[in-house]
Amino acid sequence: MATRKIRKAVIPAAGLGTRFLPATKAVPKELLPIVDIPTIQYIVAEAVAAGVRDVILVCARGKDSIVDHFDIAGELEAHLDRTGKHELRKQMRAIAQMANVVTVRQQEPLGLGHAVLCAKDVVGDEPFLILLGDDVIDAKVPGAKQLADCWERHGLGTIALMEVPPEETHLYGIAAGTPVDGRTMRIDRLVEKPKQDAPSNLAVIGRYVLPPRIFEILEQVKPGVGGEIQLTDALAVLAREDGLLGHRFEGDRYDAGDRVGYLKANIAYALKRPDLAPQLREWLREVTR
Ligand code: G1P
């Protein structure tokens, strides 16, 4: 049987964004821009590039403006038309047409695994993508597409991996396994944020293509690190029982959930923009001299 195509993506977006206070007091952190595009729009675009049509946002109270961003803004569009800004109006409409965006609510902050479980009924019985909004990936072939391709080649759940310095392994899920091909391995160990004895320096980055079986496992896992239902713990069970691949994706990754990572992402993306790069580059040269 051919491997089923990925049509649905789950994007957990229920966090409070405390690392970015006061900016996130009234604005969801997912709407903070990288240059002039909200972070979540890059994430949704990446999912769409991997073949996704339906995006399931796992939201919480106070996050409704994320959904407004992907809706038609009638008044704004009429204003742009009246003032002759037709190209901008088209761009605004295109955002509303990127994907079908639906939301489910995570009513209590019980962890990433729990957030994913909240999407169970909407995902149903098919493979799906998970994308974490803090991980921004800049790559020729979008990160999620690289994983979806790997899933299609091998027919097994696939998660994104990246090498990190040994002193940073305590910040990530860490995986170890046996090589399948140049960039892919079969995972046989997976630990969430190891305090010591990390099994490798390969960190899990927030892109996962998973079979629906992960929901059954999530329903069973006990709270792990931080007393939360951890996705990583469920993935360790999936790896043991059904098999799971790790794929070292090609591209640059920014941790937009960290203030320095967020600033780096802004500068890197601005330096790719012909309308902004020359001025910014000149100024950067001056201030870093
Ligand atoms: C989450 C996951 C972790 C993963 C990380 C990637 O942690 O639990 O396994 O390595 O995302 O960004 P968080 O950074 O949300 O605490």
Side-chain angles (χ1 to χ4, degrees), residues 19 112 132 134-135 171-174 192-193 203-206 208 230-232 253 255:
R19 281 190 283 180
L112 177 59
L132 304 188
D134 283 347
D135 289 317
L171 300 170
Y172 297 95
I174 299 293
E192 179 68 4
K193 307 199 172 103
V204 178
I205 298 303
Y208 317 73
Q230 295 291 350
L231 178 60
T232 305
R253 173 261 184 182
D255 181 0

Side-chain angles (χ1 to χ4, degrees), residues 24-65:
T24 48
K25 194 176 169 204
V27 177
K29 72 168 175 179
E30 291 78 6
L31 290 181
L32 298 183
I34 295 176
V35 187
D36 47 13
I37 297 173
T39 311
I40 187 91
Q41 191 182 319
Y42 293 94
I43 305 291
V44 169
E46 189 184 321
V48 169
V52 164
R53 288 187 195 153
D54 300 322
V55 170
I56 302 143
L57 292 176
V58 183
C59 286
R61 205 167 264 279
K63 295 272 188 141
D64 293 348
S65 51

